[in-house]
Every structure is written in structure tokens, then in C-alpha cells.
Amino acid sequence: MGNVVIVGSSNTDMVLNVPDIPKPGQTLSGNCFTTTGGGKGANQAVAVAKASTDKQETYFIACIGDDSLGSIALASYKAEGINTKYICVESGVSSGVALIFVADSGENSIGINPGANAKLSPDYIEAAGEAIVNSDVLLTQLETPIPAVLKAMQIAKSAGTKTILNPAPAAELPEEIFALLDYFTPNQIETEMYTGVFPESEDSARQAAEVLLAKGVKNVIITMGSKGSFCMNSEQAEFVPAIKVKAIDTVAAGDTFNGVFASAIARGETLIKSLKLATIAGGIAVTRKGAQDSAPSLEEILNNY
Ligand code: RIB
């Protein structure tokens, strides 16, 4: 009861802390370099596992390479209590890598080599379909091929598993996918790409949400950075303000938000309570360095609720 399956990417993040993000042609000295677990899918899986109860299982469907980075990633997912049975090891392919600059302001800039993530195919999703059928919620993003994301959504829909799509990084989507989405969680830039409306206020967020609801999405959740998030469905519309914190590293804050939201929805929490828990978790995550390391435990989230 309350199981969550994440379909998505696994990366190793190579992070350099710098005073400012270097401009084209500029060389800057950093003050700290770390190699750590990353990838939007993996970050979400770790956030789910940390924010779930002992009764909830977290499945991760992903592809890694047969290299040392892949082995380290796999061991770390197991250590977090994630069910890794459906992680495929592709031979002769390198694992995903992200090169990240984090500025003193907390902002970041990321370049990715997808490696094995690009091998996640609809056939592989089909083979791992029992994990989707055995889950209450499916959470995906767009750092793996879109045909695989679509296949996962289709399997979830026929099995009655609730679906969440976090469209990051933004990419063109087949129109048919929107009607398969129980929850769609774009940020402001992604929202503009899918609707043509930049949601800078509650009013414009409502306008954008109306466009997405008309496409067939059941619940729209627009994340608006340090302002908070706006959610809307056919019956309710509500703005959930962010918590006030001093951000030092925003990497994976959105992943933590989505993971904690998925875990709460899978436990049967209401839309608004799930959003509040996700907001607290995202707020805590930006006060700490790292992607997966910054995700809080369920106890910590509840202590701040
Ligand atoms: O969302 C943050 C993540 O984006 C990083 O961990 C990096 O791996 C990229 O996938």
C-alpha cells in the first residue's frame, strides 16, 4: 500500500561550486568540487524513499552502464532502500553524467551526457511493467526517451496506477500523453512552453492551468520557485506559498518536491496536504548542498508541517 514507481534517469553529478556561473569564454576558479549521485529520476526515487513509511515500497526503473559510476549508483540506491530489481545494466555503454556549476547565489547550470539513460526503451518498460502495475503512483520526468515515458503512462492508466509527469527538462510531448496524466507538474518556463502563458502571478497561473486542463490533464501543479505553487483541477484552485529559507544550492529542489508529492499522494493524503509536504521538502532541500543528499526524511518534513 502506498508504493511508488519512478521511471527515469540515473546520473553521476560532478559539481563545481563557483562564485558566479561562468560566461562563454570565461574561466573561473571554483572553491569546492564533489562527485555525487544525481539524475532527475534517481533524485526523485531517493526523495520518495526518504519521505515514505516502512510500509511503502519505492521501485526505480532505469538504465545504467556497466562501468564503475553505474555500480556506485546502484549500491547507493540499494542503501536508500530502493527496489533496484528493474534497473537494467547496459553493457558497453557509459552511465549518465552531469557537469554542474553551482553559484554562490544557489543558482545552477547543468550539462548532461545521457549515456545509458538514452537506452531506456518502450520494450524495457513493458518488461518491467509489473512494477508499474504493483504501484499506486507512477512518477516520471523527461530525461529519458519520451516513447518510454509514454509506454509507462499507458501501462499505468490501464492498471489504475495514478500518474505524475514532471516535464523536466522541457521537451515536445505527444498530444495523447496529456489525457493520461493525473498530475502534471511544470515549472514556470515549462508551463510557458506547453501553454504559451508565463505564470508570473496567480491569475496567469490559472490561465495556463486552464489550457492544460483542456488538454485532458486532471490536476495541474505549477511550481513558481520561491513564490510557491499553484494547483488546479475541475473542482478547486489553490495557491500554496513557499516556505522562507536562505537558498544555497537549488540543484534537485524540484526533484525533491516531486518525489515527496508522489509519496504523499500514494499514501492517500489529499492534494493540498501532499503539496504542503512537498513544499516543505523542497524548501529544506535548497538549504543544503547536493542532489540526493539534500532530500529530507519523512520525520524532518513532518516536524516542519
Ligand atoms: O534536477 C537536477 C538533476 O538534473 C541533477 O542531479 C543532474 O544529474 C540533472 O539530471
Side-chain angles (χ1 to χ4, degrees):
M1 168 64 191
N3 298 346
V4 180
V5 58
I6 299 91
V7 170
S9 56
S10 168
N11 288 338
T12 298
D13 288 354
M14 299 189 181
V15 185
L16 184 64
N17 289 84
V18 278
D20 293 299
I21 305 291
K23 296 184 180 50
Q26 186 181 23
T27 301
L28 280 179
S29 277
N31 46 50
C32 178
F33 175 73
T34 36
T35 299
T36 178
K40 294 186 195 303
N43 298 344
Q44 293 182 359
V46 169
V48 170
K50 285 187 175 178
S52 294
T53 65
D54 292 347
K55 296 199 178 79
Q56 294 180 265
E57 180 109 44
T58 307
Y59 299 98
F60 185 27
I61 302 177
C63 277
I64 56 175
D66 61 346
D67 52 11
S68 59
L69 295 182
S71 309
I72 294 168
L74 191 58
S76 75
Y77 305 147
K78 285 184 180 154
E80 292 292 355
I82 294 169
N83 185 322
T84 59
K85 182 176 165 193
Y86 304 95
I87 296 182
C88 146
V89 181
E90 282 282 331
S91 54
V93 181
S94 58
S95 296
V97 169
L99 303 180
I100 305 182
F101 288 116
V102 177
D104 285 350
S105 63
E107 287 172 315
N108 62 70
S109 162
I110 306 180
I112 286 170
N113 181 41
N117 292 311
K119 299 279 178 191
L120 197 65
S121 65
D123 283 352
Y124 184 67
I125 299 293
E126 189 104 54
E130 64 182 4
I132 301 176
V133 172
N134 290 334
S135 292
D136 299 274
V137 168
L138 161 72
L139 171 62
T140 66
Q141 349 64 39
L142 300 178
E143 224 171 38
T144 47
I146 288 171
V149 171
L150 180 60
K151 173 58 79 180
M153 289 292 170
Q154 289 164 335
I155 295 173
K157 243 335 171 226
S158 355
T161 301
K162 288 199 178 104
T163 59
I164 305 175
L165 177 60
N166 170 225
E172 209 168 303
L173 287 170
E175 271 311 298
E176 63 184 297
I177 210 167
F178 291 102
L180 300 173
L181 305 181
D182 290 303
Y183 302 90
F184 188 54
T185 64
N187 66 17
Q188 288 167 295
I189 292 170
E190 291 150 4
T191 299
E192 185 178 29
M193 172 167 163
Y194 296 113
T195 66
V197 180
F198 186 83
E200 57 193 341
S201 62
E202 210 173 313
D203 275 354
S204 48
R206 183 183 289 265
Q207 272 174 41
E210 278 165 1
V211 174
L212 293 165
L213 293 177
K215 285 176 187 272
V217 174
K218 303 253 171 347
N219 296 273
V220 176
I221 292 151
I222 298 175
T223 56
M224 299 165 70
S226 56
K227 287 185 184 151
S229 57
F230 176 78
C231 69
M232 186 163 162
N233 57 31
S234 58
E235 282 149 23
Q236 64 181 140
E238 195 161 328
F239 184 78
V240 176
I243 57 171
K244 288 210 179 338
V245 288
K246 177 162 172 24
I248 64 152
D249 181 347
T250 55
V251 174
D255 300 332
T256 298
F257 177 97
N258 277 278
V260 172
F261 178 73
S263 169
I265 289 287
R267 277 198 303 280
E269 305 287 10
T270 63
L271 171 62
I272 299 302
K273 181 166 181 192
S274 301
L275 267 183
K276 287 183 177 166
L277 294 171
T279 301
I280 291 165
I284 293 172
V286 300
T287 65
R288 297 176 183 158
K289 281 188 176 182
Q292 294 161 18
D293 293 341
S294 65
S297 66
L298 179 59
E299 192 186 2
E300 197 176 2
I301 299 166
L302 293 176
N303 284 342
N304 284 279
Y305 184 70

